[in-house]
Amino acid sequence: MPVFIGVERAGRLREYLTPSEGAQWLESSSTRLDYPEAQSCVLHVFACGVAVFHLVQPHEPAALTDLAVWRYRSYASDLSWARDKIRELLEGDHAGAPNPEYVLSLYCLTSGPWAGDAYDTALRLLSTPSVLVDRGAPGGPAPLACTVEESLLATGFDHPDIVSFGVRGVSTAYAGWSGVAYASHSSERSLTTDELVACELTVQALWCFTRHIQQMVEDGQDPSMPERYGWRFLRAAASRLTTARAQETAQHVLMREAIMKTSGLAERLRTAQEALRESAG
């Protein structure tokens, strides 16, 4: 759950947090928080002004539909808690009322009852769980009839916005607008959960950053950021996220390309860069 808090606030918070290890081009610090609804919760605060709550929530649903319903029903309480927590951490500095807008889910499947084509379909459904839920139900998100899931698993499911980044014999993986689903078939060769999370943290931090710039433009303002995080920062970020590194594995490249494509971040970076450059010029 990302939220834009501003460069100055981020700097104040980071004074009390633990800096990220290693050479990180997108500077951040983190701390563990106590949230009863999660096995673990880590707050990552990026120097560019974005805070991201990373929740780990193991789940053993009876069916994919149950998981999808839980996901949408938990949105309200998770977002509300994150909003209150970030305001608490800012110690009364509520100007601009930081407010997380959305939850992005990464599903790491460890076991399931499916086989063959149904297994592949299950991962596709995980990446786009909205097809199993009536989100407009009067009492809140409700499950569609169980026959819907059964039919999709039997006949297959596809969506034009779903992108595969799995490797035969190594993993089954899909990225969609609302989530990423990953299943490892070879622990020695597949991507680790930490690698998947690291990619999403970077993408979501920058998505939130560019979203803030978009909001300023739509509010009729000339967007501005501290020079360190101006249009050159976004140009560098776009290059780092869209260009393969010399020692990067093929799996990393596939993961990053799929997540970038489905999130629409590449275009957002270009648009935000142009907006900041126009304001500066």
Side-chain angles (χ1 to χ4, degrees), residues 97-199:
N99 191 32
E101 291 186 281
Y102 66 92
V103 180
L104 188 285
S105 296
L106 164 64
Y107 303 97
C108 292
L109 180 65
T110 56
S111 63
W114 316 282
D117 291 342
Y119 189 92
D120 187 81
T121 299
L123 268 293
R124 290 174 178 267
L125 290 171
L126 276 176
S127 68
T128 313
S130 59
V131 298
L132 300 172
V133 178
D134 178 2
R135 291 182 287 174
L144 295 177
C146 62
T147 53
V148 174
E149 178 179 335
E150 293 172 358
S151 175
L152 290 172
L153 287 171
T155 61
F157 169 74
D158 199 3
H159 190 285
D161 293 333
I162 296 177
V163 177
S164 171
F165 64 97
V167 176
R168 184 181 296 275
V170 177
S171 63
T172 301
Y174 290 98
W177 168 253
S178 60
V180 173
Y182 191 84
S184 168
H185 307 313
S186 172
S187 57
E188 298 82 6
R189 295 185 294 158
S190 61
L191 295 168
T192 66
T193 300
D194 286 346
E195 289 170 327
L196 290 159
V197 169
C199 180

Side-chain angles (χ1 to χ4, degrees), residues 13-269:
L13 271 184
R14 292 183 68 225
E15 291 179 3
Y16 305 98
L17 309 185
T18 303
S20 299
E21 297 180 359
Q24 300 289 330
W25 64 270
L26 194 60
E27 297 177 71
S28 69
S29 300
S30 64
T31 187
R32 290 191 173 275
L33 301 174
D34 182 27
Y35 181 37
E37 301 302 317
Q39 183 183 75
S40 71
C41 174
V42 177
L43 174 64
H44 298 267
V45 179
F46 292 83
C48 63
V50 177
V52 182
F53 292 89
H54 174 222
L55 310 183
V56 177
Q57 298 171 302
H59 212 63
E60 296 183 15
L64 290 174
T65 300
D66 296 333
L67 179 66
V69 171
W70 165 79
R71 176 186 188 269
Y72 286 106
R73 287 180 176 173
S74 66
Y75 264 15
S77 57
D78 287 344
L79 288 169
S80 176
W81 174 83
R83 180 197 63 216
D84 293 342
K85 177 57 67 174
I86 198 67
R87 294 181 182 182
E88 174 190 322
L89 292 170
L90 293 173
E91 298 180 341
D93 179 9
H94 298 165
N99 191 32
E101 291 186 281
Y102 66 92
V103 180
L104 188 285
S105 296
L106 164 64
Y107 303 97
C108 292
L109 180 65
T110 56
S111 63
W114 316 282
D117 291 342
Y119 189 92
D120 187 81
T121 299
L123 268 293
R124 290 174 178 267
L125 290 171
L126 276 176
S127 68
T128 313
S130 59
V131 298
L132 300 172
V133 178
D134 178 2
R135 291 182 287 174
L144 295 177
C146 62
T147 53
V148 174
E149 178 179 335
E150 293 172 358
S151 175
L152 290 172
L153 287 171
T155 61
F157 169 74
D158 199 3
H159 190 285
D161 293 333
I162 296 177
V163 177
S164 171
F165 64 97
V167 176
R168 184 181 296 275
V170 177
S171 63
T172 301
Y174 290 98
W177 168 253
S178 60
V180 173
Y182 191 84
S184 168
H185 307 313
S186 172
S187 57
E188 298 82 6
R189 295 185 294 158
S190 61
L191 295 168
T192 66
T193 300
D194 286 346
E195 289 170 327
L196 290 159
V197 169
C199 180
E200 278 295 1
L201 286 173
T202 298
V203 169
Q204 294 309 313
L206 289 169
W207 201 99
C208 184
F209 183 89
T210 57
R211 165 64 175 159
H212 178 70
I213 295 171
Q214 176 192 19
Q215 286 181 310
M216 287 192 288
V217 171
E218 292 177 353
D219 288 342
Q221 303 176 40
D222 289 328
S224 63
M225 285 288 174
E227 184 176 356
R228 184 179 181 186
Y229 300 108
W231 67 268
R232 291 182 178 84
F233 165 73
L234 292 179
R235 181 178 63 181
S239 178
R240 288 178 180 275
L241 290 171
T242 58
T243 307
R245 305 290 100 181
Q247 296 185 1
E248 194 174 25
T249 68
Q251 288 189 78
H252 280 91
V253 173
L254 290 172
M255 169 186 65
R256 185 167 40 73
E257 289 180 345
I259 291 175
M260 287 291 290
K261 180 177 181 179
T262 53
S263 68
L265 180 57
E267 180 58 33
R268 298 183 72 90
L269 286 169

